[in-house]
Amino acid sequence: MTATMKTFVMKRIGEVGFMEKPIPADPGPNDAIIKTTTALVCTSDVHTVKGAIGERHDHTLGHEACGIVDRVGSAVTLFKPGDRIVVNAITPCYKCHNCQRGFTSQCTEPLGGWKFANIKDGSFAEYFHVNDADANLTLIPSDVSDEAACYTTDMMSTGFKGAENANIVLGGSAVVFGAGPVGQMTAVGARLLGAGLVIVVDNVPDRLKLAEAYGADVTINYNDVDAVAEIMNLTNGEGVDSAMESVGAQIPFENCIKVTRPGGTISNVGYHGEGEYINIPRLEWGVGMAEKTIKTLLCPGGSERMTRLIRLIQTGRVDPTKLTTHHFSFNEVEKAFWMMDSKEDNVIKPVIHFE
Ligand code: ZN
């Protein structure tokens, strides 16, 4: 008889639930099987269930998790059963043309570095499979908690890349639209990279308060004031050096272009799930001639990236666990999942504990 495990799946578009599945069989030679200990629910899981990547049946959700190595393939040399590890949401192969070109998140095909809960089962399961384990697993040091480590898998890696892509100028000005968990980490990244003024825009008071706790210099509630006018005021009418979009919507995207000074950079972090086009405000874009750069990203993965992110936790540069608003057992994951949709009880991130 095959041993089974509990998984939390997308049954079809709009429907989730628990399901027993076989524990993954032996990994391929380069791969590993992980026993899950801790996970985070992501708004992307909600997008998936709403149909962002098309119809899926009995598809295990989850891509932000850490655990204990259960089994490794014969060619895996750096990890062994019993190791406490974390793995990024994005697990590139490091062999294909896009990986060799340096675009590892676009592994094999556009967005193809994203494998968990996309092209294979995800990590809301008692066990999950990791491809190319030597390149994608990272040991969690003893002074870093599972909960903190889980934040490196997506929130920190995605948010910090948003800041890295924004060409943060030492002492320069930066704004982040959207103070969800990724937006919070984007703002922290801008600060760590040396921005002299970090502005955060949102309309949820608790999120703006958290942004202040994370070191934002100015927060703007766009329900109260015109955010674009306020940002122009704060920068003597010049606009910011770097604008980061962590919402994934037309208005904040175009506001980023409006508030960026000539030669500045717009870094898109958000997932744009609606409409056929995203529009660019022509005049504020300098009719195409203001030398404003627009950059996009998908969460960078790989063990080198993860090691650096964990180092930032170890040395106290960032405490990502301030994003945690709720704790649940794996049996309660469905409740946590729907909270990420409704945003009820001011949820930012729910942590899921396996036992
Ligand atoms: Zn995520």
Side-chain angles (χ1 to χ4, degrees):
M1 203 184 82
T2 322
T4 63
M5 63 176 183
K6 188 173 189 170
T7 69
F8 180 66
V9 304
M10 167 179 176
K11 296 197 161 172
R12 59 187 63 80
I13 287 180
E15 197 186 321
V16 294
F18 286 104
M19 191 180 168
E20 286 289 319
K21 290 192 185 184
I23 292 174
D26 285 336
N30 299 309
D31 304 346
I33 306 296
I34 308 302
K35 188 176 195 306
T36 320
T37 53
T38 310
L40 299 167
V41 186
C42 184
T43 308
S44 300
D45 293 307
V46 176
H47 293 153
T48 296
V49 171
K50 291 192 168 178
I53 56 173
E55 185 60 275
R56 294 284 200 284
H57 295 284
D58 301 334
H59 181 61
T60 306
L61 295 163
H63 56 263
E64 304 180 11
C66 62
I68 306 290
V69 175
D70 190 63
R71 277 163 292 158
V72 294
S74 56
V76 173
T77 59
L78 303 177
F79 297 90
K80 59 183 189 314
D83 285 345
R84 183 170 159 256
I85 61 85
V86 63
V87 56
N88 194 282
I90 303 300
T91 52
C93 73
Y94 295 97
K95 299 177 193 81
C96 72
H97 287 145
N98 281 349
C99 282
Q100 292 189 41
R101 291 168 60 228
F103 297 95
T104 55
S105 297
Q106 317 302 326
C107 175
T108 313
E109 58 181 295
L111 318 190
W114 176 32
K115 303 188 194 306
F116 293 128
N118 182 18
I119 62 170
K120 68 174 191 180
D121 276 340
S123 47
F124 287 156
E126 290 171 300
Y127 294 83
F128 64 94
H129 172 272
V130 178
N131 63 286
D132 303 284
D134 278 344
N136 283 310
L137 299 181
T138 306
L139 288 173
I140 305 173
S142 58
D143 55 350
V144 172
S145 67
D146 280 6
E147 178 185 345
C150 276
Y151 280 104
T152 62
T153 62
D154 186 355
M155 300 301 99
M156 285 175 65
S157 191
T158 300
F160 287 1
K161 183 66 177 173
E164 290 167 285
N165 270 1
N167 290 324
I168 299 296
V169 177
L170 183 61
S173 51
V175 62
V176 177
F177 285 87
V182 170
Q184 299 283 347
M185 290 298 102
T186 308
V188 169
R191 193 163 181 266
L192 290 173
L193 288 166
L197 173 66
V198 177
I199 305 164
V200 175
V201 182
D202 202 287
N203 70 339
V204 180
D206 274 16
R207 293 185 172 211
L208 293 172
K209 230 179 279 167
L210 181 59
E212 282 164 25
Y214 269 128
D217 300 293
V218 180
T219 57
I220 296 174
N221 186 325
Y222 65 78
N223 284 349
D224 301 338
V225 294
D226 177 341
V228 171
E230 193 70 15
I231 293 160
M232 296 311 283
N233 278 340
L234 288 163
T235 53
N236 302 318
E238 290 188 16
V240 295
D241 295 296
S242 307
M244 291 149 275
E245 206 285 12
S246 289
V247 184
Q250 174 64 35
I251 299 293
F253 178 77
E254 68 184 53
N255 283 350
C256 280
I257 292 168
K258 290 177 179 173
V259 301
T260 299
R261 66 200 300 200
T265 305
I266 296 105
S267 169
N268 187 82
V269 188
Y271 152 76
H272 290 266
E274 285 179 13
E276 190 135 356
Y277 297 97
I278 298 296
N279 293 313
I280 289 176
R282 187 175 62 88
L283 293 181
E284 289 94 341
W285 192 42
V287 295
M289 297 178 185
E291 299 184 58
K292 298 187 185 186
T293 301
I294 301 173
K295 294 199 74 171
T296 68
L297 67 89
L298 171 63
C299 178
S303 60
E304 174 64 20
R305 173 77 173 172
M306 298 297 274
T307 299
R308 294 178 190 178
L309 297 174
I310 287 171
R311 187 179 290 134
L312 291 171
I313 297 173
Q314 273 188 300
T315 53
R317 299 291 198 280
V318 59
D319 174 10
T321 64
K322 282 196 269 188
L323 297 171
T324 301
T325 49
H326 297 76
H327 291 271
F328 292 100
S329 70
F330 184 44
N331 290 332
E332 303 167 307
V333 66
E334 182 165 359
K335 185 171 182 217
F337 172 85
W338 288 118
M339 280 181 90
M340 287 308 270
D341 185 29
S342 65
K343 307 293 183 208
E344 72 183 77
D345 200 20
N346 281 320
V347 67
I348 294 181
K349 272 300 223 188
V351 180
I352 308 300
H353 301 273
F354 289 68
E355 246 348 312

